[in-house]
Amino acid sequence: MTSIALDADSKTRHVGKTKDYLITQVSAFEAVNGVQSVSVGDDIAGVRVGAIRCSFHHRDASYGGEQYMWRGRWACLAGRSREEVETAVAEDGTKRFDYIHVAPVRLQEE
């Protein structure tokens, strides 16, 4: 995938690498406004997009009152490289790299 167009209800967020503060771990989530599409080569919130990976949601889900999965829609993760995109989130939820998260989106069938 080299480009995605955002829908009117899409939210774009910059997700920061998890920082370890001896007692706790913290990952920063920051809304990114004014983005209408995400393409390889774009620079969004300090992340130069080199790869985009999308996943389809078969059900709705939320955590802490915030929805993060939309039934019948896609969510996309954009990062600096294919390797960073594929390994951005560890099994324990630790964010290994900064990345851009966009959801929900509708992808055109090719």
Side-chain angles (χ1 to χ4, degrees):
M1 171 129 329
T2 59
S3 182
I4 54 172
L6 279 62
D7 295 332
D9 62 343
S10 297
K11 294 181 181 172
T12 306
R13 290 184 169 185
H14 173 258
V15 180
K17 179 179 176 180
T18 300
K19 296 179 181 166
D20 193 0
Y21 293 112
L22 294 177
I23 298 172
T24 189
Q25 292 182 334
V26 177
S27 294
F29 298 86
E30 182 180 326
V32 178
N33 298 315
V35 177
Q36 295 182 3
S37 67
V38 176
S39 301
V40 170
D42 288 353
D43 191 342
I44 302 172
V47 176
R48 178 89 171 163
V49 177
I52 301 170
R53 183 182 72 184
C54 297
S55 57
F56 185 75
H57 297 176
H58 294 281
R59 63 184 174 90
D60 288 334
S62 60
Y63 179 79
E66 183 139 357
Q67 188 169 356
Y68 65 92
M69 289 174 60
W70 291 260
R71 183 175 182 233
R73 307 277 297 274
W74 295 80
C76 299
L77 188 148
R80 291 181 179 94
S81 68
R82 182 177 178 179
E83 180 183 342
E84 283 191 16
V85 166
E86 291 175 351
T87 62
V89 182
E91 288 184 27
D92 65 358
T94 300
K95 311 313 184 260
R96 294 179 174 156
F97 307 100
D98 288 356
Y99 62 87
I100 304 299
H101 182 263
V102 181
V105 294
R106 295 184 206 286
L107 298 180
Q108 300 295 330
E109 304 242 352
E110 297 179 3

